[in-house]
Amino acid sequence: MARLLYQGHGSYRIMAADGMVIYVDPFAGEGYGLPADLILVTHQHSDHNQTNLPAKKPDCKIISEKDALAGGRYNTFQIKGIAIEPVEAYNKNHNRDSCVGYLITVDGIQIYAAGDTSTTEQMKTFPTRNIDYALLPADGIYNMDLKEASSCGDIINAKHSIPIHLKPGALFDRTRAEQFTGRNRLIIEPGEEITL
């Protein structure tokens, strides 16, 4: 079965059942030794785009917001059986023209990698998508605060809502994570790997 390793801050690794490895917003924590098939970058802030960190397979594909929003429209991708659908991401600190989130479908599991964002109009459509895991930023400085992130969790109605990106300069903040009240909350600590 597919697995997700939370590395801390906004960084995590997804491994498909067949061993395919995806890194999302590499920057924080450990666990970059498994060679990547795919690296996803939501935007070019330095705490999200350290594509030098993961080991890479010779045919590793890196998709950034520049690919996802090429030509001013959201472009979808199929990479080795993994579906990647870019979605809106924006707030007062992140321009919608240079940031994206991703809906990632791995082994039939759909993961919403929100990137750095606050509430978006597109989130209202997400309940019909039957998202399995929504990873939502909630630092309250560069992104939405815990109250708004919790509201987004309710709007999206994923089977699991995971608070991440909780405190600038920190891998994780357990106290803040426990204040997240979004529907179907799941708290994951850095270095913890879950089966999807």
Side-chain angles (χ1 to χ4, degrees):
M1 296 183 71
R3 303 197 305 272
L4 183 147
L5 169 71
Y6 179 45
Q7 293 163 293
H9 191 58
S11 306
Y12 41 101
R13 184 188 75 203
I14 301 163
M15 180 184 286
D18 66 1
M20 182 174 169
V21 175
I22 306 162
Y23 291 92
V24 179
D25 283 348
F27 165 72
E30 300 180 355
Y32 292 101
L34 291 179
D37 293 275
L38 175 62
I39 300 172
L40 299 175
V41 174
T42 60
H43 63 291
Q44 293 303 318
H45 287 173
S46 61
D47 59 336
H48 291 261
N49 70 350
Q50 301 303 308
T51 57
N52 58 305
L53 284 176
K56 298 172 186 68
K57 293 181 182 172
D59 60 348
C60 176
K61 175 78 171 169
I62 299 173
I63 296 174
S64 75
E65 79 292 343
K66 295 170 189 172
D67 308 295
L69 267 172
R73 63 185 182 89
Y74 293 94
N75 302 293
T76 60
F77 305 88
Q78 287 279 343
I79 310 286
K80 298 183 181 179
I82 307 298
I84 308 295
E85 179 184 344
V87 295
E88 295 176 349
Y90 55 83
N91 59 28
K92 65 182 181 180
N93 299 302
H94 299 86
N95 188 303
R96 73 169 64 218
D97 296 326
S98 55
C99 296
V100 296
Y102 296 103
L103 291 174
I104 308 162
T105 305
V106 180
D107 298 336
I109 302 293
Q110 192 164 69
I111 301 156
Y112 171 39
D116 276 7
T117 193
S118 296
T119 309
T120 71
E121 280 298 309
Q122 196 174 15
M123 286 179 186
K124 295 175 185 174
T125 70
F126 286 177
T128 63
R129 304 298 298 270
N130 298 312
I131 293 169
D132 294 287
Y133 295 86
L135 291 95
L136 301 170
D139 62 36
I141 298 171
Y142 299 105
N143 294 292
M144 50 194 168
D145 60 17
L146 286 158
K147 181 178 179 182
E148 185 179 355
S150 297
S151 175
C152 287
D154 292 340
I155 292 167
I156 294 163
N157 195 28
K159 293 184 179 112
H160 307 279
S161 294
I162 303 171
I164 64 168
H165 206 301
L166 291 160
K167 185 177 181 180
L171 281 181
F172 185 68
D173 186 306
R174 181 85 198 186
T175 300
R176 288 185 59 78
E178 289 177 352
Q179 292 170 13
F180 176 85
T181 60
R183 189 167 294 158
N184 305 319
R185 180 185 77 183
L186 174 62
I187 295 176
I188 305 176
E189 301 249 1
E192 184 177 350
E193 189 170 39
I194 62 170
T195 299
L196 302 178

